[in-house]
Amino acid sequence: MGGKEQVKRSQILSCKLVSLFLLVCTAFFFIFSVSDTLKRENHIDDWNKNKLYEVGKTNSDTPKQKQFEGWKAKACNYSDGRWVHDAEIKMRYSHKCKEIFKGWNCIANNKSNGRDILQWRWQPRGCDLPRFDPLYFLEHFRDTSIGFVGDSLNRNMFVSLVCMLKEASNDARKWRPAHADRGYTFLQYNVTLAYHRTNLLARYGRWSAKIDGGALEQLGYKEGFRVDIDIPDGSWAEAPSYHNILILNTGHWWWAPAKFDPVKSPMLFFEKGQPILPPISPEEGLDMVLHNMIDFVEKNMPKNALNVFRTQSPRHFEGGDWNEGGTCQRTKPLLPEEVENIFAVKNHSPNVEVRLANRHLQEALKDSSFNLLNITFMSEFRADAHPSTSGGKKHEDCMHWCLPGITDYWNDLLMDTLLMKR
């Protein structure tokens, strides 16, 4: 009997040990599982909270909509802030990027502060502007076609974006879709970027008086520029039906007396093939063109497309306009009072069109589907970031921007705008 009881006690003990072992394993598994879940959830919360981009990483357990809740919850006015000196900032891309127009390559052209202009970081009030992440951009906008439509300042921004994306992918191939001036496709991601050059958005060309006369001839006009307010320039007429995302701009050329002399070569506006009479001013023409071009884009863009209109890029000519010996020799960002002195409309400076153009644009975009990309305020401070005398022109270039440079921050804002809407 004693032996049997001993065996029985051994069996009971063994069962208890097995049960205890299983209980410990279950508890360990449960703790590990909860810990792992908490880590993952905390990671997502941190990502949303700080708007951080994780290069090349995605969370397959989290729906796409969930991943971007932080963007909507933490909306911030990134266009309002100040420039902070930060010597630790790393260059976003090499100045050897082949797409950089020679006149804008301030480092290669040995501009005295070519590298110093990169040591300033835009700091919005009350938040941080996420730094553009090229790999994340390519992953998120896979199978997307993006078109920049506008003057050479939009090319400035286009080049910045191309060079940043090339840092993440080496399979970019030159391709010019839909009559674009230039373009690239990143083959691995099927992401296309194109730049469509157009100065006024609307079609325009030289106009000369006819021998047999006409309405304009009877008013004494002999030559000028014909601007068809209801017809988009052919360089981008097909762009709305081709691209998923459009970034438009216009402005500089509407206040360009050196190009559109109000006496010798005025802008003459036409609608439905006939001259608008009595003739209207360039500012009135701009309003009509903006209305028509915005309407044209909205009617021709594919469903779920995104439309963006960039505000005016500021010029920094001091002492006269570009053809009057104007210069931009600053080596540091402007102070707030200096900004007001240069750009206040009441001062009638050579750079006055910046805020005037924005007034017209803001009014035109009311009740439209366009998203406004406000780059003006942050850029007004950066009189130090233009090619100036290093651009190789006969006059100082105080209009375009050095690359790498300020337009990189425009693309920070662009990425934030697009992610907020996708």
Side-chain angles (χ1 to χ4, degrees), residues 204 206 225 252-267 282 315 317 320-325 350 353 395 399:
Y204 81 98
R206 295 290 310 187
F225 284 88
H252 284 300
W253 287 69
W254 293 91
W255 280 268
K259 299 180 176 69
F260 301 110
D261 187 290
V263 177
K264 297 180 180 179
S265 55
M267 300 172 80
R315 306 187 305 160
F317 287 99
D321 210 334
W322 66 272
N323 58 338
E324 301 170 338
E353 90 274 357
H395 61 84
M399 180 171 71

Side-chain angles (χ1 to χ4, degrees), residues 181-229:
D181 182 71
R182 58 191 61 242
Y184 283 89
T185 293
F186 291 83
L187 301 177
Q188 181 181 347
Y189 303 92
N190 192 29
V191 172
T192 295
L193 268 67
Y195 164 63
H196 302 259
R197 179 177 175 80
T198 174
N199 297 324
L200 304 178
L201 293 181
R203 184 177 72 183
Y204 81 98
R206 295 290 310 187
W207 177 90
S208 297
K210 297 178 181 178
I211 298 178
D212 54 354
L216 291 173
E217 287 85 348
Q218 291 176 13
L219 293 173
Y221 289 99
K222 296 181 180 180
E223 61 180 351
F225 284 88
R226 170 175 172 162
V227 182
D228 288 278
I229 66 166

